[in-house]
Amino acid sequence: AQSVTQLDSHVSVSEGTPVLLRCNYSSSYSPSLFWYVQHPNKGLQLLLKYTSAATLVKGINGFEAEFKKSETSFHLTKPSAHMSDAAEYFCVVKNRDDKIIFGKGTRLHILP
Amino acid sequence: NAGVTQTPKFQVLKTGQSMTLQCAQDMNHEYMSWYRQDPGMGLRLIHYSVGAGITDQGEVPNGYNVSRSTTEDFPLRLLSAAPSQTSVYFCASRRGQGIAGNTIYFGEGSWLTVV
């Protein structure tokens, strides 16, 4: 069965330091993988997606993620955190059967 | 381009009342779905539709009904509201099945409190 595990429910970083949000998945097929961001009281916005092209995917607002098949991981990174990055982040996997699974989310806190 | 529009944004209901959350999309997407979001549980699928006239149950369908009479609209009905249905509800849409990597578009959410 497919699943998505976001390894940290909360991550705190100082402004200007790197961000790492971890996501592991299990899938029987080559999946499509997404990261979404949700700011307080807002809907979910697509940050980036992987669809079996380049394994390093660049998204909006300076975020990027690397698909590592051997590690079944799709971690989200950003070189330098900004206060506006404080939000909840969701890792999402979609298989060829079109079933979509959401991770439980990681809340990112930015310390001044 | 409006995308996915949900109404209302906030609603307070009394136990036993019924109501309908409206969802409309203007992207001609075949696939629409309703999720509920609860703390620490991510998003859970309530119902979904792969096209007009076709609906199916998701992970947590009990207490909810849906219909899909047009491609654009996918309302969610709470039949007899219960406090356990206090949650944030998101409508989502995307292009049809079998398209790798097709982006899921979300509405802004509906905050529902049942007292």
Side-chain angles (χ1 to χ4, degrees), chain A residues 48-51 54-59 63-67 74:
Chain A
L48 49 80
K49 64 183 179 183
Y50 166 77
T51 59
T55 56
L56 183 62
V57 182
K58 294 188 183 299
F63 284 94
E64 61 183 37
E66 185 171 8
F67 173 70
F74 191 57

Side-chain angles (χ1 to χ4, degrees), chain A residues 11 38 110:
Chain A
V11 170
Q38 183 184 26
I110 311 296

Side-chain angles (χ1 to χ4, degrees), chain A residues 38 41-44, chain B residues 4-11 21-22 34-35 37 87-92 106-112:
Chain A
Q38 183 184 26
N41 300 321
K42 294 290 188 182
L44 280 76
Chain B
V4 180
T5 303
Q6 277 182 246
T7 57
K9 191 167 179 73
F10 300 100
Q11 183 73 49
L21 299 178
Q22 301 291 345
W34 277 101
Y35 293 88
Q37 182 181 29
S87 187
V88 184
Y89 292 85
F90 287 98
C91 180
F106 289 90
E108 289 279 293
S110 296
W111 275 253
L112 176 66

Side-chain angles (χ1 to χ4, degrees), chain A residues 32 36 38 49 90 94 98, chain B residues 37 90 97 101-104:
Chain A
S32 297
Y36 281 82
Q38 183 184 26
K49 64 183 179 183
F90 292 94
K94 185 171 84 73
D98 243 25
Chain B
Q37 182 181 29
F90 287 98
Q97 289 183 299
N102 48 332
T103 300
I104 311 163

